[in-house]
Amino acid sequence: MPTTLSRAADGTSRRRRGPRTWLAALPLLAFTGLCFGIPLGAIAFGAVTRTDPATGATQLTGEHLARSLQGPYLGSLLGSVQLSALTALIGSVLGVLIAQAVVTSRSGALRSAALTASGVLANFGGVPLAFAFIATVGISGVVTQLADLTSLGWSLYSFTGLAVVYLYFLIPLMVLVIAPALEGLRPQWREAAQNSGATGWQFWRHVGLPVLAPSLLGGFVLLFGTAFAAHATAAALVGGSVPLVTLKIADALSGNVLTGQENVALALGLDMILIAGLVMAVYLPLQRRSARWLR
């Protein structure tokens, strides 16, 4: 009986808090609508409409979306997907190894320093990062000259060079994402496995990896989305020599397109939003599931 009364009171309290919760969220909803909803609506409208320059009449069309999936535009979209998938995979593997070394370290100072540095490096991108790499491993960079990297076939202004630059901020990002999940692996689980005669590989295969799988996949998806949306670093390093969708959008917005294809940039932007939405749809459930192990 007391339990029933408690549940009833709790339900009544929740119903009373409902309107207040929505009122408290109004500023966030207004900010989201202004900063994300209006630009998204403008992009979607421009991507599916065409305005006749003579009459000024606007009509619906799928021409821009179809053109964004053809020829060089499709090549740039696939190039971004390939670069993002490759760097996300390498960044995930190296990030997990580094995070495991940091978490299992007995030095608290080393752990704090590594996590702080990861937080700084994960947000170090754009033109400053491109300049740092040009000065270090560019054509006339210090390391390039000292180690004669050019004779080894190294080129910073290529797909491989751009992937190396992306890894500079993706690996620290993976360290930040996966370190809390690695700390969630309780020592009692390993002790129980050892007492049962399990080897280290058997522990990771049957306990560690299944527990970490949502966090690993979520980290990979997050790295993919970060690399997919990166623009400034690629623009400063490779320009148009490496086909990327963000560079194509920048070219189209600057007027570097054929007549009648001005709205293709908006169609490419809509393609990116759809892919980013798909990435977030995969990432959020995985992040929510992995958070259970951190409680």
Side-chain angles (χ1 to χ4, degrees):
M1 190 65 175
T3 304
T4 304
L5 293 176
S6 176
R7 289 177 179 175
D10 186 57
T12 304
S13 177
R14 287 182 180 178
R15 285 194 295 272
R16 289 177 179 175
R17 286 200 302 266
R20 297 178 182 177
T21 304
W22 281 106
L23 287 176
L26 275 181
L28 175 62
L29 295 176
F31 175 82
T32 305
L34 289 174
C35 296
F36 295 97
I38 294 178
L40 177 60
I43 291 175
F45 179 78
V48 298
T49 59
R50 179 178 55 188
T51 302
D52 190 337
T55 62
T58 302
Q59 59 183 1
L60 291 175
T61 179
E63 177 185 354
H64 308 311
L65 290 174
R67 196 182 298 278
S68 69
L69 299 176
Q70 298 174 357
Y73 299 114
L74 178 60
S76 65
L77 199 58
L78 294 177
S80 289
V81 171
Q82 291 174 356
L83 179 64
S84 303
L86 176 65
T87 54
L89 178 61
I90 299 176
S92 298
V93 174
L94 296 181
V96 169
L97 295 177
I98 295 173
Q100 176 66 12
V102 170
V103 169
T104 56
S105 172
R106 296 182 179 179
S107 173
L110 174 62
R111 181 180 179 280
S112 298
L115 294 179
T116 302
S118 297
V120 174
L121 296 177
N123 293 282
F124 185 60
V127 177
L129 178 62
F131 175 76
F133 268 85
I134 291 173
T136 307
V137 291
I139 295 178
S140 302
V142 176
V143 177
T144 303
Q145 297 298 322
L146 291 176
D148 195 15
L149 296 179
T150 305
S151 63
L152 301 177
W154 163 256
S155 174
L156 177 64
Y157 314 102
S158 63
F159 184 91
T160 303
L162 189 59
V164 172
V165 177
Y166 275 23
L167 289 175
Y168 187 82
F169 58 84
L170 291 180
I171 292 175
L173 180 59
M174 187 63 184
V175 172
L176 292 177
V177 171
I178 202 64
L182 291 173
E183 290 179 335
L185 287 178
R186 299 171 185 172
Q188 294 86 347
W189 296 346
R190 182 183 290 273
E191 294 172 0
Q194 291 176 345
N195 292 335
S196 300
T199 62
W201 163 246
Q202 289 174 327
F203 166 76
W204 282 107
R205 179 184 177 187
H206 297 288
V207 179
L209 289 178
V211 170
L212 293 176
S215 297
L216 292 174
L217 293 175
F220 173 82
V221 171
L222 182 62
L223 265 59
F224 178 89
T226 303
F228 189 71
H231 166 256
T233 305
L237 278 179
V238 299
S241 60
V242 176
L244 297 176
V245 65
T246 52
L247 302 180
K248 281 293 182 186
I249 292 176
D251 287 343
L253 291 178
S254 62
N256 188 20
V257 292
L258 298 176
T259 304
Q261 298 185 9
E262 294 82 0
N263 284 10
V264 174
L266 299 176
L268 287 171
L270 187 60
D271 294 339
M272 288 193 65
I273 291 173
L274 293 177
I275 294 176
L278 180 62
V279 168
M280 292 303 298
V282 175
Y283 172 72
L284 290 179
L286 293 174
Q287 193 275 336
R288 194 178 300 115
R289 182 176 178 183
S290 64
R292 298 174 185 171
W293 298 101
L294 305 180
R295 296 174 183 172

